[in-house]
Amino acid sequence: CYNVFHDPDGPGGQPAGSGVFHKYLVSQVDLVDNVAGSTTETWTYTYPGSPGWAYQDNMLYARGTGDQTWNQWRGYSAVTTQHGSGATTSTRYFRGMSGDHNADGSTKTVNLTDFRDQTWQDYPSLAGQVLSTRTYDTDGTELASTASQYWSNTTVDGPGFHNAVMV
């Protein structure tokens, strides 16, 4: 669940206020062939760890003022996918949590570790990018792995975290 400040009916009868909304995760996808009758393919998804929620960094308000709260969904840092009873793929993602606002006014420093045990800072400009991917056979043998490395350059230093960054 997450809290959002909204106006349910727009300008008019109901006053604006906070509402609680739900997030639903995909746990399984079935590909069904209704024409030729081929075997159904199934993908299952698991999300280890806890989801990330970032503080709303609205450039129209100073931090900690207005109706800002921790309502920016940043997802999970890892997703594990299994195709049928075969290979399992584990993908780790950047979520952009480093520099997020804490309740006491300080900011977080968040680091991620790839499968090679290298540490990377979770910069906001990298949110949603793949950190590393590993694929395993049913017996746990590694079949393939990929590690991503990004270069970034801040081209414009904007207010707060609203920088123009080339990745």
Side-chain angles (χ1 to χ4, degrees), residues 6-161:
H6 70 105
D7 191 347
D9 63 352
Q14 297 290 326
S18 291
V20 177
F21 295 84
H22 296 277
K23 281 268 182 211
Y24 297 95
L25 298 175
V26 173
S27 60
Q28 182 174 313
V29 173
D30 292 324
L31 177 62
V32 179
D33 183 356
N34 289 326
V35 177
S38 296
T39 304
T40 298
E41 290 188 58
T42 301
W43 287 265
T44 57
Y45 302 92
T46 56
Y47 308 87
S50 299
W53 292 96
Y55 191 77
Q56 178 188 358
D57 190 22
N58 187 331
M59 56 196 280
L60 299 177
Y61 298 100
R63 273 201 171 168
T65 65
D67 295 314
Q68 298 179 81
T69 185
W70 285 266
N71 63 356
Q72 284 187 356
W73 172 250
R74 296 293 176 91
Y76 287 83
S77 61
V79 177
T80 301
T81 307
Q82 184 171 13
H83 185 197
S85 60
T88 299
T89 301
S90 179
T91 306
R92 295 181 188 173
Y93 296 93
F94 288 98
R95 297 188 294 177
M97 297 297 292
S98 205
D100 190 33
H101 180 70
N102 289 316
D104 65 4
S106 64
T107 56
K108 300 173 187 171
T109 299
V110 178
N111 293 309
L112 305 173
T113 304
D114 65 19
F115 65 83
R116 299 172 299 177
D117 291 329
Q118 285 190 305
T119 303
W120 303 90
Q121 191 162 350
D122 193 13
Y123 290 113
S125 58
L126 295 175
Q129 300 297 324
V130 173
L131 172 62
S132 60
T133 302
R134 275 186 142 170
T135 302
Y136 300 94
D137 202 349
T138 54
D139 64 2
T141 303
E142 183 178 324
L143 299 175
S145 61
T146 304
S148 300
Q149 186 170 343
Y150 299 92
W151 171 88
S152 66
N153 183 35
T154 301
T155 57
V156 176
D157 188 12
F161 285 108

